[in-house]
Amino acid sequence: MDIKKIGILGATGVVGHAAFQTILSRTNYPILLGGRNPEKLSELFTGTDGRLECQQVDVFNEEELHDFCGRVDLVINCAGPSKQIVDKVAVACLKHEVHYVDVSGDEHLYQQLLARKQEIEEKGLLFIISAGVYPGLSEVFPAYVAENDLDEIDLLEVFFAGQGGFSLNAAYDIVCSIEEDTGWGMSYFKQGEVKKIDGPFHRNYTFPNPAGKRDTYPVVTKEFGLMTKQHQIESAYFYNSYQSNAILNQFVMIKAMQQYKTEEQKRASAKLLLEQFEAKKPGVKDFTMFHLHATGKRDGKKVRVFSTLLYPSDWNRISGIIAATVAHLIAEDHNSKTGCFFVAEGVSATRLIDALREQQVELMHSITEMK
């Protein structure tokens, strides 16, 4: 694609800063950073090689947002809260015929953008959402295994573990997701359809280090379901885990007490979540991990795959790296598709994982023949 300049919104946060560092170190594209305080941006990003410009832009100010989008060829949106921004940045990108990568986004944004699918395609644009960790890498990782290790998959189990913190905006988005009841708990996908699990509420599972033994809870999303359909996976499960029971209890309390009815309640609940995530396990550094177990066929033989994807830092940094790497892949792909996609649909899982492995992401893998 003919990309001359990349814009990044929300660059003063951890996610946006990681996206900026990735674009700066791995590409030669000029970069335009947008933020409400351009002086702060300039202070944070001094010492670059002259490829950087900073511009004042509040994503809730339509004039400033459109001016920003009109100056670039691709926008990486790391601003938040995504539940308040919704499609504002995407619509501005569409008007100015600019490619779009959103580190956030969910099925609600996806449906909004699908209504503009024809216009996006007619303008030759590619819009990628959920280009972060979960959702995002949670679908890309199993798609990578499906593309490279198995010809057929009859059982897929993906487990997520991590330790890290959140920004207030990210915590706010989580509270909104609790209110919207995003995803399906106690469920799995069978031939692409959501089915209820007939069994225990949780599963105690031993991850590789540094995660160790954790209680895991089954929950699936639309993004995960589309990935299973794309790769014709017979049965697929996703298990989330929490770095402490206190965090799980806080989630349960917010939902049970409906502590999200007003804007004030949402902000208060977000602050409570922040406090819980700050209480980290002593002696364990931040990390982000996906562990996968799958059975299926390879070259006509029944095999079992165990695979672990580990990033030795928190999910905020890797989210920014993922979004920026997706943008880089789009920029370098001269035969790229057009339209609106979740990240696992919109870019090659193999190319994305291979690129992430060059950026401190570790992949541990074993394939054994089943008797």
mmCIF file of all heavy atoms in Angstrom, residues 141 144-145 149 208-210 288-293 305-312 353 357 360-367:
data_model
loop_
_atom_site.group_PDB
_atom_site.id
_atom_site.type_symbol
_atom_site.label_atom_id
_atom_site.label_comp_id
_atom_site.label_asym_id
_atom_site.label_seq_id
_atom_site.Cartn_x
_atom_site.Cartn_y
_atom_site.Cartn_z
ATOM 1 N N PHE A 141 -2.742 -16.164 17.735
ATOM 2 C CA PHE A 141 -1.885 -17.275 18.142
ATOM 3 C C PHE A 141 -2.454 -18.634 17.711
ATOM 4 O O PHE A 141 -1.756 -19.423 17.049
ATOM 5 C CB PHE A 141 -1.647 -17.207 19.652
ATOM 6 C CG PHE A 141 -0.823 -18.327 20.220
ATOM 7 C CD1 PHE A 141 0.261 -18.853 19.532
ATOM 8 C CD2 PHE A 141 -1.131 -18.859 21.467
ATOM 9 C CE1 PHE A 141 1.023 -19.886 20.068
ATOM 10 C CE2 PHE A 141 -0.378 -19.884 22.008
ATOM 11 C CZ PHE A 141 0.692 -20.405 21.305
ATOM 12 N N TYR A 144 -2.196 -19.018 14.020
ATOM 13 C CA TYR A 144 -0.825 -19.340 13.616
ATOM 14 C C TYR A 144 -0.586 -20.849 13.686
ATOM 15 O O TYR A 144 -0.015 -21.445 12.764
ATOM 16 C CB TYR A 144 0.150 -18.602 14.533
ATOM 17 C CG TYR A 144 1.608 -18.939 14.329
ATOM 18 C CD1 TYR A 144 2.378 -18.245 13.401
ATOM 19 C CD2 TYR A 144 2.222 -19.942 15.078
ATOM 20 C CE1 TYR A 144 3.722 -18.547 13.215
ATOM 21 C CE2 TYR A 144 3.563 -20.248 14.900
ATOM 22 C CZ TYR A 144 4.309 -19.548 13.965
ATOM 23 O OH TYR A 144 5.637 -19.857 13.782
ATOM 24 N N VAL A 145 -1.033 -21.465 14.772
ATOM 25 C CA VAL A 145 -0.878 -22.918 14.922
ATOM 26 C C VAL A 145 -1.674 -23.644 13.840
ATOM 27 O O VAL A 145 -1.202 -24.627 13.250
ATOM 28 C CB VAL A 145 -1.326 -23.361 16.333
ATOM 29 C CG1 VAL A 145 -1.386 -24.882 16.441
ATOM 30 C CG2 VAL A 145 -0.375 -22.794 17.382
ATOM 31 N N ASP A 149 0.899 -25.831 11.826
ATOM 32 C CA ASP A 149 1.181 -27.094 12.504
ATOM 33 C C ASP A 149 0.168 -28.202 12.270
ATOM 34 O O ASP A 149 0.492 -29.372 12.440
ATOM 35 C CB ASP A 149 1.298 -26.850 14.019
ATOM 36 C CG ASP A 149 2.421 -25.885 14.350
ATOM 37 O OD1 ASP A 149 3.489 -25.996 13.726
ATOM 38 O OD2 ASP A 149 2.226 -25.012 15.211
ATOM 39 N N PRO A 208 2.991 -23.130 32.116
ATOM 40 C CA PRO A 208 4.448 -23.015 32.254
ATOM 41 C C PRO A 208 4.779 -21.780 33.101
ATOM 42 O O PRO A 208 3.959 -20.867 33.242
ATOM 43 C CB PRO A 208 4.926 -22.834 30.809
ATOM 44 C CG PRO A 208 3.809 -23.360 29.953
ATOM 45 C CD PRO A 208 2.553 -23.075 30.710
ATOM 46 N N ASN A 209 5.975 -21.738 33.655
ATOM 47 C CA ASN A 209 6.417 -20.558 34.402
ATOM 48 C C ASN A 209 6.519 -19.360 33.451
ATOM 49 O O ASN A 209 6.820 -19.534 32.272
ATOM 50 C CB ASN A 209 7.769 -20.828 35.060
ATOM 51 C CG ASN A 209 7.627 -21.782 36.233
ATOM 52 O OD1 ASN A 209 6.609 -21.798 36.911
ATOM 53 N ND2 ASN A 209 8.652 -22.589 36.462
ATOM 54 N N PRO A 210 6.245 -18.157 33.950
ATOM 55 C CA PRO A 210 6.068 -17.780 35.355
ATOM 56 C C PRO A 210 4.627 -17.820 35.854
ATOM 57 O O PRO A 210 4.368 -17.450 36.990
ATOM 58 C CB PRO A 210 6.573 -16.335 35.366
ATOM 59 C CG PRO A 210 6.189 -15.816 34.014
ATOM 60 C CD PRO A 210 6.362 -16.971 33.070
ATOM 61 N N THR A 288 2.998 -11.616 29.895
ATOM 62 C CA THR A 288 1.786 -11.903 29.134
ATOM 63 C C THR A 288 1.973 -13.265 28.482
ATOM 64 O O THR A 288 2.962 -13.479 27.775
ATOM 65 C CB THR A 288 1.556 -10.842 28.043
ATOM 66 O OG1 THR A 288 1.560 -9.540 28.639
ATOM 67 C CG2 THR A 288 0.233 -11.069 27.330
ATOM 68 N N MET A 289 1.029 -14.183 28.719
ATOM 69 C CA MET A 289 1.205 -15.554 28.235
ATOM 70 C C MET A 289 -0.083 -16.131 27.658
ATOM 71 O O MET A 289 -1.162 -15.969 28.226
ATOM 72 C CB MET A 289 1.674 -16.465 29.377
ATOM 73 C CG MET A 289 1.786 -17.948 28.993
ATOM 74 S SD MET A 289 2.168 -19.024 30.407
ATOM 75 C CE MET A 289 3.885 -18.580 30.691
ATOM 76 N N PHE A 290 0.071 -16.810 26.528
ATOM 77 C CA PHE A 290 -0.974 -17.682 25.999
ATOM 78 C C PHE A 290 -0.398 -19.090 25.919
ATOM 79 O O PHE A 290 0.711 -19.286 25.409
ATOM 80 C CB PHE A 290 -1.429 -17.236 24.606
ATOM 81 C CG PHE A 290 -2.237 -15.978 24.605
ATOM 82 C CD1 PHE A 290 -1.638 -14.761 24.331
ATOM 83 C CD2 PHE A 290 -3.591 -16.002 24.885
ATOM 84 C CE1 PHE A 290 -2.375 -13.592 24.333
ATOM 85 C CE2 PHE A 290 -4.340 -14.835 24.895
ATOM 86 C CZ PHE A 290 -3.727 -13.625 24.621
ATOM 87 N N HIS A 291 -1.160 -20.040 26.427
ATOM 88 C CA HIS A 291 -0.750 -21.445 26.362
ATOM 89 C C HIS A 291 -1.824 -22.199 25.590
ATOM 90 O O HIS A 291 -3.023 -21.987 25.806
ATOM 91 C CB HIS A 291 -0.595 -22.017 27.770
ATOM 92 C CG HIS A 291 -0.124 -23.438 27.785
ATOM 93 N ND1 HIS A 291 1.125 -23.808 27.352
ATOM 94 C CD2 HIS A 291 -0.748 -24.582 28.166
ATOM 95 C CE1 HIS A 291 1.259 -25.123 27.476
ATOM 96 N NE2 HIS A 291 0.144 -25.611 27.958
ATOM 97 N N LEU A 292 -1.395 -23.067 24.702
ATOM 98 C CA LEU A 292 -2.328 -23.718 23.784
ATOM 99 C C LEU A 292 -2.128 -25.223 23.765
ATOM 100 O O LEU A 292 -0.995 -25.713 23.775
ATOM 101 C CB LEU A 292 -2.118 -23.129 22.384
ATOM 102 C CG LEU A 292 -2.939 -23.638 21.208
ATOM 103 C CD1 LEU A 292 -3.106 -22.520 20.175
ATOM 104 C CD2 LEU A 292 -2.282 -24.852 20.530
ATOM 105 N N HIS A 293 -3.245 -25.929 23.736
ATOM 106 C CA HIS A 293 -3.243 -27.383 23.545
ATOM 107 C C HIS A 293 -4.208 -27.693 22.413
ATOM 108 O O HIS A 293 -5.340 -27.196 22.390
ATOM 109 C CB HIS A 293 -3.692 -28.093 24.830
ATOM 110 C CG HIS A 293 -4.057 -29.533 24.611
ATOM 111 N ND1 HIS A 293 -5.329 -30.025 24.824
ATOM 112 C CD2 HIS A 293 -3.317 -30.580 24.169
ATOM 113 C CE1 HIS A 293 -5.355 -31.310 24.543
ATOM 114 N NE2 HIS A 293 -4.154 -31.675 24.142
ATOM 115 N N VAL A 305 -0.488 -30.971 19.919
ATOM 116 C CA VAL A 305 0.370 -29.784 19.935
ATOM 117 C C VAL A 305 0.242 -29.082 21.282
ATOM 118 O O VAL A 305 -0.869 -28.853 21.768
ATOM 119 C CB VAL A 305 -0.009 -28.796 18.812
ATOM 120 C CG1 VAL A 305 0.822 -27.516 18.914
ATOM 121 C CG2 VAL A 305 0.164 -29.435 17.444
ATOM 122 N N PHE A 306 1.379 -28.764 21.880
ATOM 123 C CA PHE A 306 1.433 -27.850 23.017
ATOM 124 C C PHE A 306 2.286 -26.664 22.586
ATOM 125 O O PHE A 306 3.381 -26.846 22.038
ATOM 126 C CB PHE A 306 2.056 -28.509 24.253
ATOM 127 C CG PHE A 306 1.147 -29.455 24.974
ATOM 128 C CD1 PHE A 306 1.292 -30.824 24.819
ATOM 129 C CD2 PHE A 306 0.139 -28.973 25.799
ATOM 130 C CE1 PHE A 306 0.456 -31.707 25.478
ATOM 131 C CE2 PHE A 306 -0.706 -29.848 26.467
ATOM 132 C CZ PHE A 306 -0.553 -31.217 26.304
ATOM 133 N N SER A 307 1.789 -25.467 22.828
ATOM 134 C CA SER A 307 2.533 -24.288 22.419
ATOM 135 C C SER A 307 2.305 -23.163 23.422
ATOM 136 O O SER A 307 1.196 -23.004 23.940
ATOM 137 C CB SER A 307 2.086 -23.840 21.019
ATOM 138 O OG SER A 307 2.938 -22.838 20.509
ATOM 139 N N THR A 308 3.357 -22.410 23.692
ATOM 140 C CA THR A 308 3.267 -21.290 24.628
ATOM 141 C C THR A 308 3.863 -20.044 23.993
ATOM 142 O O THR A 308 4.969 -20.080 23.445
ATOM 143 C CB THR A 308 4.020 -21.597 25.935
ATOM 144 O OG1 THR A 308 3.476 -22.778 26.523
ATOM 145 C CG2 THR A 308 3.887 -20.439 26.922
ATOM 146 N N LEU A 309 3.115 -18.966 24.070
ATOM 147 C CA LEU A 309 3.578 -17.665 23.594
ATOM 148 C C LEU A 309 3.771 -16.778 24.817
ATOM 149 O O LEU A 309 2.828 -16.558 25.581
ATOM 150 C CB LEU A 309 2.550 -17.058 22.647
ATOM 151 C CG LEU A 309 3.028 -15.962 21.692
ATOM 152 C CD1 LEU A 309 3.964 -16.552 20.644
ATOM 153 C CD2 LEU A 309 1.834 -15.309 21.003
ATOM 154 N N LEU A 310 4.985 -16.284 25.011
ATOM 155 C CA LEU A 310 5.304 -15.514 26.218
ATOM 156 C C LEU A 310 5.973 -14.200 25.853
ATOM 157 O O LEU A 310 6.941 -14.164 25.091
ATOM 158 C CB LEU A 310 6.242 -16.323 27.122
ATOM 159 C CG LEU A 310 6.785 -15.599 28.364
ATOM 160 C CD1 LEU A 310 5.658 -15.262 29.339
ATOM 161 C CD2 LEU A 310 7.853 -16.446 29.051
ATOM 162 N N TYR A 311 5.444 -13.126 26.425
ATOM 163 C CA TYR A 311 6.090 -11.818 26.331
ATOM 164 C C TYR A 311 6.488 -11.406 27.744
ATOM 165 O O TYR A 311 5.637 -11.327 28.633
ATOM 166 C CB TYR A 311 5.143 -10.786 25.727
ATOM 167 C CG TYR A 311 5.740 -9.395 25.661
ATOM 168 C CD1 TYR A 311 6.806 -9.118 24.811
ATOM 169 C CD2 TYR A 311 5.247 -8.365 26.457
ATOM 170 C CE1 TYR A 311 7.359 -7.848 24.749
ATOM 171 C CE2 TYR A 311 5.797 -7.092 26.398
ATOM 172 C CZ TYR A 311 6.855 -6.840 25.547
ATOM 173 O OH TYR A 311 7.410 -5.583 25.496
ATOM 174 N N PRO A 312 7.770 -11.136 27.990
ATOM 175 C CA PRO A 312 8.244 -10.900 29.364
ATOM 176 C C PRO A 312 8.014 -9.473 29.860
ATOM 177 O O PRO A 312 8.909 -8.837 30.414
ATOM 178 C CB PRO A 312 9.735 -11.226 29.263
ATOM 179 C CG PRO A 312 10.093 -10.855 27.863
ATOM 180 C CD PRO A 312 8.886 -11.194 27.029
ATOM 181 N N ILE A 353 2.966 -13.236 13.826
ATOM 182 C CA ILE A 353 3.692 -13.928 14.900
ATOM 183 C C ILE A 353 5.192 -13.934 14.616
ATOM 184 O O ILE A 353 6.011 -13.705 15.522
ATOM 185 C CB ILE A 353 3.175 -15.372 15.078
ATOM 186 C CG1 ILE A 353 1.739 -15.367 15.612
ATOM 187 C CG2 ILE A 353 4.083 -16.159 16.021
ATOM 188 C CD1 ILE A 353 1.576 -14.831 17.017
ATOM 189 N N ARG A 357 8.024 -12.319 17.085
ATOM 190 C CA ARG A 357 9.140 -13.108 17.630
ATOM 191 C C ARG A 357 10.474 -12.376 17.479
ATOM 192 O O ARG A 357 11.449 -12.719 18.151
ATOM 193 C CB ARG A 357 9.198 -14.475 16.941
ATOM 194 C CG ARG A 357 8.010 -15.368 17.298
ATOM 195 C CD ARG A 357 8.048 -16.683 16.554
ATOM 196 N NE ARG A 357 9.124 -17.546 17.036
ATOM 197 C CZ ARG A 357 9.435 -18.721 16.490
ATOM 198 N NH1 ARG A 357 8.763 -19.152 15.427
ATOM 199 N NH2 ARG A 357 10.412 -19.451 16.987
ATOM 200 N N GLN A 360 11.012 -9.745 21.164
ATOM 201 C CA GLN A 360 11.007 -10.292 22.524
ATOM 202 C C GLN A 360 9.866 -11.259 22.814
ATOM 203 O O GLN A 360 9.723 -11.706 23.952
ATOM 204 C CB GLN A 360 10.980 -9.174 23.578
ATOM 205 C CG GLN A 360 12.253 -8.339 23.644
ATOM 206 C CD GLN A 360 12.207 -7.379 24.815
ATOM 207 O OE1 GLN A 360 11.533 -6.356 24.778
ATOM 208 N NE2 GLN A 360 12.918 -7.706 25.880
ATOM 209 N N VAL A 361 9.049 -11.581 21.840
ATOM 210 C CA VAL A 361 7.997 -12.568 22.058
ATOM 211 C C VAL A 361 8.584 -13.955 21.831
ATOM 212 O O VAL A 361 9.154 -14.232 20.773
ATOM 213 C CB VAL A 361 6.799 -12.330 21.120
ATOM 214 C CG1 VAL A 361 5.781 -13.457 21.247
ATOM 215 C CG2 VAL A 361 6.139 -10.990 21.445
ATOM 216 N N GLU A 362 8.449 -14.815 22.836
ATOM 217 C CA GLU A 362 9.025 -16.156 22.776
ATOM 218 C C GLU A 362 7.939 -17.177 22.426
ATOM 219 O O GLU A 362 6.826 -17.111 22.941
ATOM 220 C CB GLU A 362 9.644 -16.522 24.128
ATOM 221 C CG GLU A 362 10.700 -15.536 24.614
ATOM 222 C CD GLU A 362 11.092 -15.785 26.060
ATOM 223 O OE1 GLU A 362 10.883 -16.919 26.545
ATOM 224 O OE2 GLU A 362 11.585 -14.848 26.707
ATOM 225 N N LEU A 363 8.281 -18.116 21.561
ATOM 226 C CA LEU A 363 7.361 -19.179 21.174
ATOM 227 C C LEU A 363 7.995 -20.525 21.501
ATOM 228 O O LEU A 363 9.075 -20.847 21.005
ATOM 229 C CB LEU A 363 7.048 -19.102 19.678
ATOM 230 C CG LEU A 363 6.115 -20.186 19.128
ATOM 231 C CD1 LEU A 363 4.724 -20.063 19.741
ATOM 232 C CD2 LEU A 363 6.031 -20.099 17.602
ATOM 233 N N MET A 364 7.328 -21.291 22.373
ATOM 234 C CA MET A 364 7.789 -22.634 22.740
ATOM 235 C C MET A 364 6.770 -23.634 22.220
ATOM 236 O O MET A 364 5.568 -23.441 22.394
ATOM 237 C CB MET A 364 7.947 -22.737 24.257
ATOM 238 C CG MET A 364 9.093 -21.869 24.789
ATOM 239 S SD MET A 364 8.815 -21.215 26.445
ATOM 240 C CE MET A 364 7.773 -19.806 26.114
ATOM 241 N N HIS A 365 7.265 -24.711 21.624
ATOM 242 C CA HIS A 365 6.407 -25.519 20.778
ATOM 243 C C HIS A 365 6.772 -26.995 20.875
ATOM 244 O O HIS A 365 7.955 -27.338 20.917
ATOM 245 C CB HIS A 365 6.657 -25.050 19.334
ATOM 246 C CG HIS A 365 5.450 -25.041 18.477
ATOM 247 N ND1 HIS A 365 4.277 -24.429 18.817
ATOM 248 C CD2 HIS A 365 5.238 -25.584 17.250
ATOM 249 C CE1 HIS A 365 3.407 -24.580 17.840
ATOM 250 N NE2 HIS A 365 3.968 -25.285 16.882
ATOM 251 N N SER A 366 5.776 -27.870 20.904
ATOM 252 C CA SER A 366 6.052 -29.304 20.791
ATOM 253 C C SER A 366 4.904 -29.978 20.051
ATOM 254 O O SER A 366 3.734 -29.646 20.260
ATOM 255 C CB SER A 366 6.233 -29.942 22.173
ATOM 256 O OG SER A 366 5.002 -30.009 22.865
ATOM 257 N N ILE A 367 5.256 -30.907 19.166
ATOM 258 C CA ILE A 367 4.271 -31.683 18.414
ATOM 259 C C ILE A 367 4.619 -33.155 18.584
ATOM 260 O O ILE A 367 5.747 -33.569 18.296
ATOM 261 C CB ILE A 367 4.277 -31.319 16.915
ATOM 262 C CG1 ILE A 367 4.039 -29.816 16.722
ATOM 263 C CG2 ILE A 367 3.222 -32.123 16.162
ATOM 264 C CD1 ILE A 367 4.157 -29.358 15.281
#
